[in-house]
Amino acid sequence: MSTEKVQCHYDVLNVERTADAGSIKKAHRKLALKYHPDKQVNSSNPDEAARMFRLVQEAYECLSDPQERQWYDEHRESILMGFKPGESDQNGLVPSFVVNIDGYHHPSCFSNSYTDDAGCFYQVYHDIFAKIDAGELRGWISQGNIEQHHAPRPVFGTSASEWKDVNNFYRMWEGFQSCLNFAWVDEYDTRDAPNRRYKRAMEDENSKARRKARRERNDDVLSLLHYVKKRDPRVKKHRVDVEKEKERKAEEVKQLAAQKKADAAAAREAWKIEQEKLMAEYEAEDLNAGRIRLADLDDDYDYGGKKNKKRGKKGKKKNRYVYDDNEEEPKEYVTTYRVPPAEPGEGDSIEGDEDGCEPAQPTADIADDVDDEEAMQQMNDVVIEEDFDDEESFSSSESSEEPEVWRCECCRKDFKSVGQMENHMKSKKHKEAFKKYEKRMKKKKQQEEAELFEMVDEIGDRM
């Protein structure tokens, strides 16, 4: 590599980096006429004029070609530093805008002092993050992005910075992505490619090297940021404040829940007291008006002659008749009345139970009750006999003639043949319907029996 200082092509032609092709051509013509060897016959320093003429020609050749100019803009900083692509690994040269941050991951860099003084925590890291952002901006501009805007990132701040500023700093820097193109890490010079195939392969290798360098740069900056955030007293203080705020809110919620619970208990107690007062007032009014509920009295007096008589649920009353499997009709219910024994006279015999009581003779009223029960029993017998006669006549007529339609009552369906009826009775649907039908009929029978028993009880009570 030559020891001659490298000059920028734009500086040689004395044009701006945003100059168009016409401005570059005009500047080249003017300088070429000025430094042309034919114009230097009487010059006092012809060697310097020849050198300048050569630089002007090289600059114009580069900047007049759009592809050459694009490549030069990408590698301008590297070229000005005096090395070519592929030499960075050997010389260890990087552009000046890439700030080295390797020594800032140790407390020794800020004397382990968390103050705003020079050389301490806040001053050191405020300067290093400002240099990183300024280097990104200079590199962005050096890559030819002059007119494009690059917004600066927030500054580190001081120990007196508010939390919103500190939080904004860390939030913005945690998404750090370098805007540099890292062209100085290229391994190959694509201008030396003999054909397009080699050039494409060179570009691929250079692109891989650039991506790797950008990824490493991003990781280095984020690693430094996490190191600083972990030790930042402002972040630690905020975490303590957040925990205290959480504990305070939790205590408030707990107290609020306890207060609500206490209020609810007090409201329930007040409601109970109020209801008790209302009930006492209603009972006083009932007593004054003479309306006393028998269920509210605790004495043993039999009001109306129905003491200890409990009426169960409908259908649950026990049968008052005794049935025998060998008998077709139920036995009559016989009520036995017991009276105290009388003093025996002459010729009287004492027969009775072990307790000294003897069966009493039915009075005229009891005889009338027995006669009414017998009359009702005879009427029921007549009705049952008529029902049996109707069933016998119907069965005889049914056996004499075969019906044209077979009907399933539980499913409410008609069939035209015995086979259809039998197949239907074997089906799962019919079996389920038949079970429901049996339950329904059984329930209906129990209800009818219960109604009959209630009717008999009512008749007995009236008698």
Side-chain angles (χ1 to χ4, degrees), residues 81-104:
M81 291 180 64
F83 68 93
K84 295 181 179 180
E87 296 181 349
S88 59
D89 293 338
Q90 298 176 2
N91 300 332
L93 299 175
V94 292
S96 58
F97 49 78
V98 180
V99 181
N100 185 9
I101 58 176
D102 294 338
Y104 292 90

Side-chain angles (χ1 to χ4, degrees), residues 309-353:
K309 183 177 180 180
K310 298 181 180 179
R311 300 180 65 87
K313 293 184 180 179
K314 196 171 184 180
K316 300 295 183 178
K317 185 180 292 295
K318 293 185 179 179
N319 195 349
R320 298 185 64 181
Y321 292 91
V322 181
Y323 289 93
D324 191 356
D325 296 337
N326 299 324
E327 294 181 2
E328 296 180 355
E329 296 181 358
K331 298 178 181 180
E332 293 183 358
Y333 178 84
V334 181
T335 304
T336 303
Y337 297 89
R338 307 182 69 85
V339 297
E343 295 181 0
E346 294 181 359
D348 294 338
S349 61
I350 301 174
E351 294 180 359
D353 296 336

Side-chain angles (χ1 to χ4, degrees), residues 35 98 117 159 240 352 444:
Y35 294 110
V98 180
D117 299 335
S159 60
V240 173
K444 184 176 180 182

